[in-house]
Amino acid sequence: MFGTAFAPAKVNLFLHVGPPDGDGYHPIASLLAFADIGDRVSVAPAEAMSFRLSGPFGAGLEGEGRNLVLRAAEALIQAGRRPVAPVALILEKNLPIAAGLGGGSSDAGATLRLLRGAWGLDLSDDALQGLAAALGADGAACLWGAPVMAEGRGERLSPAPGLPDLPAVLVNPGVPAPTGAVYGAFDDLGRFGVVEAPPLPEAFESAEELAAWLSAQRNDLEAAAIRVAPPIGDVLEALSGEAETLLARMSGSGATCFALCTGDFEAEQLAERLQALRPDWWVRRCRLGGPWRSRDESPS
């Protein structure tokens, strides 16, 4: 009973955010894609339940309390309603923390997928999605790592349009943008736009067509995130000024931004140049789309 599951980075291609409702939640409309880079969750037999962090950003999660990986495992045990064998859980944290990439939610989704198989639990996909949704606003969307439209509080999901191959570059300036702080700044600014999802075509034929369509959309949290973490503005300015960039935008509540490019060569050129100019930034070339399930190793 062991295996590894891939937890892809989530990218909000656009993010429309409305004013808070009576419970303090902000309605959203967002088109989500997933990158072919991310974290990994592994499980192995053990004498007692345990959890360990590894990877370049693992130390940043030390001492944070109950990680979403542990919370996902606990939720699955409760839902399964039968004894399960203890396991060792290992989170390889490759994505920056508080980065707008849905890392925690994607880690939780990978854990749910992996442990359902490892423990042989008779839980449907719908039941698994319910557990994921209860773990966070991005939980349901991040469970399968497939492009999706998210609305409401993030729990209302509908199929995304067909997406072309999307070569991209992700850039994080190395500063956190805590979600609560960004939403607080957003409320202070009071710039609430129309939150409804715009009409969507059945499919986009090219990265250029998608970038042109996205240019009429927004990430409503950008201004607030820049107020919380000004280096985000530096990243957006750097990406927007490069010839390879079709579109530059922030993902989620920041601090990671992305550039869509016409091809892999252009994305590689852009990533290499930015990394040379700003070695203090986290820069990764990737492809956006999903799901990247071929990167999962089935439990055995």
Side-chain angles (χ1 to χ4, degrees), residues 145-169:
V148 69
M149 268 296 307
E151 297 178 84
R153 296 181 179 181
E155 84 289 355
R156 282 193 357 241
L157 306 180
S158 56
L163 297 178
D165 187 40
L166 292 174
V169 177

Side-chain angles (χ1 to χ4, degrees), residues 169-174 235 239 255-259 271 274 281-284:
V169 177
L170 303 182
V171 182
N172 185 289
V235 172
L239 289 173
T256 305
C257 303
F258 66 92
L274 283 174
W281 287 356
W282 180 83
V283 180
R284 294 292 185 274

Side-chain angles (χ1 to χ4, degrees), residues 95-159:
L95 298 175
I97 299 162
L101 297 175
S105 293
S106 197
D107 296 341
T111 303
L112 292 172
R113 299 194 314 267
L114 186 58
L115 286 180
R116 178 178 65 170
W119 283 332
L121 297 177
D122 186 20
L123 290 173
S124 67
D125 285 354
D126 286 344
L128 212 63
Q129 189 153 317
L131 294 179
L135 291 168
D138 284 334
C142 289
L143 176 60
W144 307 114
V148 69
M149 268 296 307
E151 297 178 84
R153 296 181 179 181
E155 84 289 355
R156 282 193 357 241
L157 306 180
S158 56

Side-chain angles (χ1 to χ4, degrees), residues 18-82:
D21 61 20
D23 295 326
Y25 288 93
H26 296 74
I28 68 157
S30 186
L31 176 58
L32 308 181
F34 291 83
D36 60 355
I37 62 172
D39 299 334
R40 286 187 179 277
V41 178
S42 299
V43 60
E47 294 184 0
M49 288 290 293
S50 64
F51 174 65
R52 180 166 64 86
L53 289 159
S54 67
F57 294 99
L61 293 176
E62 295 283 359
E64 72 154 7
R66 287 193 308 141
N67 185 276
L68 273 168
V69 166
L70 281 174
R71 290 169 54 193
E74 291 165 358
L76 201 58
I77 290 170
Q78 187 173 12
R81 296 184 179 180
R82 68 169 175 78

